[in-house]
Amino acid sequence: MADLPGANSAADDRIAVDTTAIIVIGRNEAANLAACLDSVASLGARCILYVDSGSTDGSPALARAKAIQVIDLAPDRPFSAARARNEGASAALSDPAVSALHFIDGDCRLHPDWLSAATAFMDRAAPLAAICCIQSRAALNSFCCSAQLRPGHP
């Protein structure tokens, strides 16, 4: 990751679970967020961040209660998944030991073996930029692009 603008380089440029930052994004995910955070909490990641897009259901407090660092997006610009991921990435990359980022939505959960398998694969496959698991979520993608994610909208 050292070649990316603003990216850090871990001392040995390895990609591993303990040099990975997990960035959870969400808005009004209180019903799902605890399960998501629980699924990533014991994986051994360098850090876990929750980036919140104006929740009104207590999602940020739930994450803080689990000792997760919370980034509350300011309502001065429209909320979007991309904005949340970018702000989470910027915060995570302020730690020079972070060599990889893992993004997950607050309504998803990670399999206990996923992060170790993914980081081992990426470490072997360098300079691979990304791997992902995609689940068809056309309705959610449409929702994320709508005006409903603008500040002041439920």
Side-chain angles (χ1 to χ4, degrees):
M1 287 192 39
D3 297 329
L4 298 175
N8 299 313
S9 173
D12 59 4
D13 283 331
R14 70 188 178 90
I15 296 174
V17 170
D18 64 349
T19 64
T20 299
I22 297 176
I23 300 161
V24 180
I25 66 166
R27 175 181 167 102
N28 292 328
E29 289 291 353
N32 302 302
L33 189 58
C36 175
L37 296 175
D38 289 346
S39 79
V40 300
S42 64
L43 299 180
R46 174 83 182 166
C47 64
I48 301 169
L49 305 160
Y50 173 63
V51 184
D52 188 80
S53 295
S55 290
T56 58
D57 68 349
S59 294
L62 189 153
R64 286 184 181 100
K66 291 183 170 289
I68 303 294
Q69 180 182 342
V70 175
I71 299 168
D72 291 300
L73 295 182
D76 59 341
R77 296 185 327 205
F79 299 127
S80 71
R83 179 178 170 212
R85 288 184 186 102
N86 286 337
E87 294 209 22
S90 291
L93 291 172
S94 68
D95 180 346
V98 169
S99 67
L101 304 174
H102 186 287
F103 298 98
I104 183 170
D105 291 353
D107 62 345
C108 298
R109 286 147 204 78
L110 281 184
H111 184 280
D113 298 329
W114 167 254
L115 193 60
S116 60
T119 55
F121 178 82
M122 288 188 71
D123 193 52
R124 288 190 314 272
L128 188 67
I131 57 173
C132 61
C133 176
I134 298 173
Q135 179 181 2
S136 177
R137 295 166 64 168
L140 177 62
N141 289 338
S142 174
F143 175 75
C144 286
C145 295
S146 75
Q148 295 179 9
L149 288 182
R150 294 213 165 112
H153 291 267

